[in-house]
Amino acid sequence: MAIWLRRSRSLAHYLKAEIGFWKVPNQRSFLNPCFFNPENSSSTTLTGENYGNPASFLGNSPTLFGSRRFESIKSGREELDLEYENSGHQNQAMDFPGGRISFTSEMKFISESPRERIPCYRVLDYDGLPIMHSSFVEVSKEEALKMFSSMVTLETMDTILYEAQRQGRISFYLTSIGEEAINIATAAALTPHDVVLPQYREPGVLLWRGFTLQEFSNQCFGNKADYGKGRQMPIHYGSNKHNYFTVSSTIATQIPQAVGAAYSLKMDKKDACVVTYFGDGGTSEGDFHAGLNFAAVMEAPVVYICRNNGWAISTPVSQQFRSDGVVVKGKAYGIQSIRVDGNDALAVYSATRAAREMAITEQKPILIEMLTYRVGHHSTSDDSTKYRPVDEIEHWKTARNPISRFRKWVDKNGWWSDKDESELRVNVRKQLLQAIQVAEKAEKPPISNLFTDVYESLPSNLCEQEELLRESIKRHPQDYPSDVPV
Amino acid sequence: MLGIVRGRVARGGVNASMTVRDALNSALDEEMSADPKVFVMGEEVGEYQGAYKISKGLLEKYGPERVVDTPITEAIDHIINSAAKSNYMSAGQISVPIVFRGPNGAAAGVGAQHSQCYAAWFGACPGLKVLAPYSSEDARGLLKAAIRDPDPVVFLENELLYGESFPVSAEVLDSSFCLPIGKAKIEREGKDVTITAFSKMVGYALKAAEILAKEGISAEVINLRSIRPLDRSSINASVRKTNRLITVEEGFPQHGVGAEICACVVEESFEYLDAPVERIAGADVPMPYAANLEREWPSHRVQHSFVYTNVKVERSKITFLLF
């Protein structure tokens, strides 16, 4: 607080000096070019030094710089152009807390919306052909095929598990349909050492890193093999060994957490960054503001990826913010940002690679806004046809599909065929159905898991509660599900 | 380490004393020295030496890597929704070994938004540990315990206590000193009535016990030290001895710490109670600013409250004697 007071005291003195000038008419007026006439020297002082002395502005007084230099303003002194009257007011700059600012005599408000929106970086056109002069990071055949088959796997997993919820076999599900390029291509651009803090629509990142279909299914069915010990709703995956933070439903809470995680990487001088994801809705949260601000000030190596898919449940982006999307917000925090076509796997891959590089070598945050479309409903608790036109959904599902767009590029390179495609899809589908069967039949987690991990060691009151619960179950076994081990 | 601590301890030979501020500062210093993974982060903690000077000298000694000044952000959400729950929700994959420390409850004349006691709020969250030191010994021992603890700990200090001096023994001054979390302290033994209190209210409770002693009533004062976990066994053992209980807190009465203590005692020691449990708490209103109104805050008038209760206690005693 003392620093702030020091600054404001300085500012107050500066302002008093200004006001002092304003009060004195004509020749003392700040706006009046005659003001700096050395003949009109004033003897009024504010701090005992020649503070308020207009003559001191001419730089003749040796006390000028001494009195005007405030401890907390690090950016140097005020320089006065001695030929002020000739060069004009426009060339002047002034020190304020936070740095040196030039003046303008034009009262101009910055427009709330640009004439042109920030353009979107893109590599592939809709026919899967690289756009002329586009710069992008080359992807090998092996990498491309892994990316493509992962996108297909993700889509299939989403379709089948969504159906499982519809059939009542799991309680909840949410899909990433339409956002497969973001999921897979960003993951492909990272190393396994980069720490990922997801929102909840990024299971593809975990899939890329090696989480199996069985592991996904186990979590959805909340069985004994679930790494989450059956404690969370479906799709709340998490895996330390894959450097993927456990999903937490609350929106945008991962944003400030990402800064902390990145700061620890910075302290340990690791060759890694943190990547955190959120949707367009998440940018309205207070945590978005606090997180980005902290990241910038603390120079944390975090890559912020915003999946701007146009919808936050039923809230369209036009009702979410009035800025030019999310990319412009980065600048407000002093963060380098880019807008990318989120349905173009190569653009996503290249931008993420570049962002990661910058974040690590320059130790600072980067913001990437990926434009895409949420083809599926928000979740199984939602029916989006209630608030948006069916043909809009259809259009994005087909004509703007990121998987088929990437497929076209892969095809043109001669790396894939229809036969490969159908084999892949049949295979994945079979694996999934098998995984679901196994997951469904598996035992649920034991009752002791209700009480562990609240604290590192089990406290006495929870021991007691567990005992009470077991007694209760013994007394009323009919009120207790038979498939849950005691 | 001991040298630095000694420098802040008032001379007095065997009877050394230390302010709570110095107690907290020395505890932070010693724990940072012992474990290079401990660091301090927050607004004003570095250059400014701490908003209340608790982290004085730490930036100079440990550098900006370990004493980190940050921009401001005020939010309880991450304490109760992230810190408290992450270990459980992630099934042990995300542990949160953090201490959230700072002043709690009222200072003097700081109004409604700077005076609330959050002990009951945080005390209601599974996953958190909640501590409330009173004396310098408490401050040192509990802060060290909190820093060493792998779980998230909310450490509720009191601004008015920062400048208060308490006697400290050589054991307390030692850098290995540590108090167990979840154990209350019997500050004053007694046999007629149990008074539970925490933080600043312990001081008031002790003063009230003095007054009661002059009237022939021997009060046992329990300094809770730990709000979560609550030392149910010490409280119950005391009530089984005295048969009467008064809970004191500066927070709001409804859903307060006293309500929980009352429930604990009623559950475990019902037959031992000779009179209903009395709760002394703040008025159920946001703290007013005006000094005269603030003074009327019931738990700030604990001594008067005790006179009232004193009468009730006596009446109960008389009733008992008649029968």
Side-chain angles (χ1 to χ4, degrees):
Chain A
M1 216 177 305
I3 294 172
W4 181 84
L5 284 172
R6 274 206 297 277
R7 283 196 188 122
S8 67
R9 222 184 292 128
S10 315
L11 191 57
H13 283 159
Y14 170 76
L15 286 172
K16 268 195 203 146
E18 299 278 11
I19 291 164
F21 298 138
W22 277 94
K23 270 201 222 134
V24 184
N26 299 338
Q27 281 152 345
R28 313 286 178 190
S29 163
F30 196 78
L31 294 176
N32 189 324
C34 300
F35 167 68
F36 293 103
N37 187 331
E39 258 104 89
N40 294 321
S41 53
S42 155
S43 58
T44 49
T45 59
L46 290 159
T47 58
E49 285 154 352
N50 288 334
Y51 201 102
N53 187 343
S56 69
F57 270 88
L58 284 181
N60 288 332
S61 163
T63 64
L64 164 64
F65 298 119
S67 68
R68 304 287 305 191
R69 178 161 336 146
F70 307 120
E71 238 184 311
S72 55
I73 297 173
K74 296 198 169 66
S75 49
R77 341 140 133 189
E78 178 202 351
E79 279 158 1
L80 246 220
D81 189 353
L82 285 171
E83 273 130 280
Y84 167 79
E85 278 149 84
N86 300 327
S87 55
H89 188 57
Q90 249 73 356
N91 289 344
Q92 243 192 311
M94 204 67 170
D95 284 322
F96 281 104
R100 158 161 288 239
I101 309 287
S102 356
F103 290 130
T104 170
S105 53
E106 196 194 345
M107 180 173 69
K108 181 167 187 260
F109 284 73
I110 303 172
S111 170
E112 75 272 23
S113 57
R115 248 170 307 136
E116 267 176 48
R117 297 189 60 181
I118 304 285
C120 176
Y121 167 62
R122 179 203 233 208
V123 172
L124 295 176
D125 65 19
Y126 290 128
D127 293 319
L129 288 166
I131 297 165
M132 272 237 291
H133 310 302
S134 65
S135 57
F136 64 99
V137 178
E138 292 288 343
V139 169
S140 68
K141 174 182 176 184
E142 197 191 333
E143 192 84 343
L145 289 181
K146 184 175 179 205
M147 280 167 68
F148 181 74
S149 47
S150 301
M151 286 164 77
V152 170
T153 306
L154 176 59
E155 190 194 38
T156 313
M157 177 176 94
D158 273 349
T159 311
I160 293 178
L161 282 170
Y162 187 89
E163 273 313 300
Q165 193 278 342
R166 279 324 200 206
Q167 293 163 15
R169 295 158 84 186
I170 55 177
S171 63
F172 174 86
Y173 195 74
L174 72 70
T175 67
S176 312
I177 309 277
E179 301 179 52
E180 294 88 352
I182 295 177
N183 265 257
I184 301 300
T186 56
L190 304 173
T191 73
H193 305 293
D194 299 318
V195 179
V196 173
L197 278 85
Q199 177 63 75
Y200 45 54
R201 220 179 285 279
E202 304 90 14
V205 179
L206 196 48
L207 179 70
W208 177 269
R209 288 184 167 193
F211 212 60
T212 65
L213 296 175
Q214 189 63 65
E215 286 169 319
F216 279 113
S217 307
N218 289 339
Q219 197 284 327
C220 287
F221 282 88
N223 63 32
K224 195 171 63 166
D226 168 26
Y227 299 142
K229 297 181 187 167
R231 292 197 184 124
Q232 293 217 68
M233 293 161 64
I235 69 98
H236 288 63
Y237 316 110
S239 173
N240 268 11
K241 73 171 188 267
H242 296 101
N243 264 330
Y244 188 94
F245 264 53
T246 306
V247 173
S248 141
S249 313
T250 46
I251 302 297
T253 49
Q254 69 280 9
I255 299 180
Q257 290 170 4
V259 185
Y263 197 75
S264 81
L265 292 178
K266 183 186 174 83
M267 285 167 95
D268 290 342
K269 299 187 168 52
K270 289 262 161 75
D271 179 20
C273 68
V274 167
V275 178
T276 187
Y277 300 78
F278 45 91
D280 36 285
T283 66
S284 294
E285 285 274 0
D287 274 351
F288 171 80
H289 163 76
L292 263 69
N293 192 46
F294 267 65
V297 171
M298 302 184 67
E299 295 170 7
V302 51
V303 176
Y304 286 115
I305 297 181
C306 176
R307 292 177 295 95
N308 182 347
N309 61 21
W311 295 92
I313 310 191
S314 67
T315 308
V317 286
S318 57
Q319 302 288 317
Q320 192 67 252
F321 37 66
R322 288 295 160 87
S323 51
D324 171 17
V326 175
V327 64
V328 293
K329 294 182 203 248
K331 191 169 191 169
Y333 296 102
I335 295 177
Q336 242 178 305
S337 346
I338 189 171
R339 168 173 277 162
V340 177
D341 179 351
N343 285 8
D344 177 346
L346 289 186
V348 169
Y349 181 83
S350 301
T352 310
R353 275 284 289 266
R356 179 188 181 274
E357 192 65 36
M358 277 191 278
I360 297 174
T361 51
E362 297 173 59
Q363 290 290 294
K364 67 183 192 194
I366 308 285
L367 171 66
I368 309 179
E369 176 185 21
M370 307 228 173
L371 298 180
T372 180
Y373 189 85
R374 192 197 78 210
V375 171
H377 307 305
H378 166 71
S379 72
T380 49
S381 313
D382 175 46
D383 174 9
S384 62
T385 59
K386 295 230 152 65
Y387 51 79
R388 54 184 190 175
V390 178
D391 51 347
E392 177 187 297
I393 305 172
E394 245 344 272
H395 171 71
W396 282 91
K397 189 171 181 172
T398 52
R400 308 287 292 269
N401 188 312
I403 302 178
S404 41
R405 189 158 155 203
F406 192 53
R407 163 91 201 263
K408 286 176 189 155
W409 180 74
V410 167
D411 273 358
K412 287 191 167 69
N413 284 332
W415 295 339
W416 197 248
S417 68
D418 281 340
K419 183 162 161 286
D420 293 323
E421 177 87 8
S422 55
E423 257 176 42
L424 171 69
R425 285 187 185 270
V426 163
N427 229 329
V428 172
R429 192 184 159 81
K430 202 165 79 179
Q431 275 180 57
L432 254 169
L433 292 173
Q434 167 80 344
I436 289 175
Q437 262 201 1
V438 170
E440 199 166 26
K441 288 207 189 79
E443 239 185 14
K444 295 293 184 221
I447 212 134
S448 53
N449 275 349
L450 183 61
F451 302 98
T452 51
D453 303 322
V454 180
Y455 297 101
E456 194 180 82
S457 33
L458 199 66
S460 57
N461 68 321
L462 290 185
C463 268
E464 278 170 36
Q465 290 179 21
E466 188 179 340
E467 267 316 299
L468 284 171
L469 180 57
R470 285 179 196 282
E471 277 169 34
S472 185
I473 293 168
K474 259 201 214 104
R475 262 180 280 129
H476 312 279
Q478 70 284 357
D479 294 328
Y480 188 74
S482 52
D483 62 343
V484 183
V486 179
Chain B
M1 207 43 50
L2 219 44
I4 294 166
V5 167
R6 274 211 197 100
R8 298 201 203 97
V9 173
R11 294 276 158 255
V14 192
N15 303 320
S17 72
M18 193 182 217
T19 62
V20 170
R21 176 178 284 109
D22 287 339
L24 294 168
N25 183 266
S26 59
L28 281 171
D29 193 353
E30 286 161 27
E31 293 305 300
M32 287 180 77
S33 174
D35 183 354
K37 285 198 161 165
V38 175
F39 64 101
V40 179
M41 189 178 254
E43 304 124 37
E44 328 289 357
V45 296
E47 292 277 359
Y48 190 68
Q49 312 293 313
Y52 300 91
K53 302 290 179 271
I54 307 298
S55 52
K56 185 172 176 196
L58 297 181
L59 173 65
E60 192 182 35
K61 185 166 175 198
Y62 297 102
E65 296 253 295
R66 293 185 68 194
V67 181
V68 186
D69 275 320
T70 67
I72 187 169
T73 179
E74 297 177 324
I76 198 178
D77 180 66
H78 276 279
I79 301 177
I80 57 181
N81 257 337
S82 297
K85 299 178 183 174
S86 283
N87 201 52
Y88 189 76
M89 284 166 62
S90 72
Q93 294 189 91
I94 302 173
S95 68
V96 190
I98 191 170
V99 178
F100 299 100
R101 57 149 292 272
N104 174 62
V110 288
Q113 293 174 330
H114 289 91
S115 304
Q116 187 162 341
C117 173
Y118 284 92
W121 273 51
F122 289 120
C125 298
L128 291 181
K129 288 184 174 155
V130 183
L131 302 176
Y134 162 62
S135 61
S136 299
E137 175 182 329
D138 289 356
R140 264 183 69 77
L142 293 177
L143 185 55
K144 280 164 169 289
I147 293 170
R148 296 177 197 179
D149 197 291
D151 297 312
V153 181
V154 174
F155 195 81
L156 304 172
E157 300 159 3
N158 183 288
E159 190 188 331
L160 295 174
L161 285 175
Y162 285 149
E164 224 172 285
S165 234
F166 292 87
V168 282
S169 67
E171 189 203 345
V172 171
L173 292 174
D174 191 79
S175 61
S176 64
F177 179 67
C178 197
L179 285 172
I181 290 178
K183 257 339 266 135
K185 180 184 180 194
I186 314 287
E187 291 284 349
R188 182 192 170 112
E189 285 199 16
K191 54 181 182 54
D192 295 329
V193 60
T194 299
I195 305 172
T196 63
F198 61 93
S199 188
K200 186 139 179 63
M201 292 299 128
V202 175
Y204 284 114
L206 288 170
K207 287 200 191 107
E210 282 293 324
I211 297 171
L212 287 170
K214 294 197 182 81
E215 320 214 357
I217 295 171
S218 149
E220 178 150 290
V221 176
I222 299 183
N223 172 4
L224 293 175
R225 283 181 165 175
S226 181
I227 306 296
R228 174 180 266 270
L230 198 59
D231 189 354
R232 293 173 71 124
S233 53
S234 293
I235 297 167
N236 276 288
S238 175
V239 172
R240 289 178 182 209
K241 186 172 70 167
T242 64
N243 311 122
R244 287 182 177 82
L245 174 63
I246 299 170
T247 69
V248 185
E249 66 198 291
E250 67 170 297
F252 303 128
Q254 189 167 343
H255 307 299
V257 174
E260 174 63 29
I261 293 175
C262 177
C264 289
V265 166
V266 162
E267 280 165 11
E268 288 180 41
S269 310
F270 184 64
E271 318 79 55
Y272 291 84
L273 284 169
D274 285 347
V277 176
E278 282 276 338
R279 287 182 295 168
I280 295 173
D284 210 8
V285 307
M287 173 73 86
Y289 164 74
N292 62 322
L293 297 178
E294 190 179 39
R295 228 180 302 123
E296 295 308 308
W297 198 248
S299 45
H300 290 182
R301 304 186 71 240
V302 128
Q303 284 151 349
H304 302 262
S305 309
F306 272 125
V307 169
Y308 167 68
T309 315
N310 170 31
V311 171
K312 275 194 101 173
V313 164
E314 271 205 293
R315 230 186 262 130
S316 312
K317 275 194 100 173
I318 291 167
T319 316
F320 173 77
L321 285 167
L322 283 176
F323 290 94

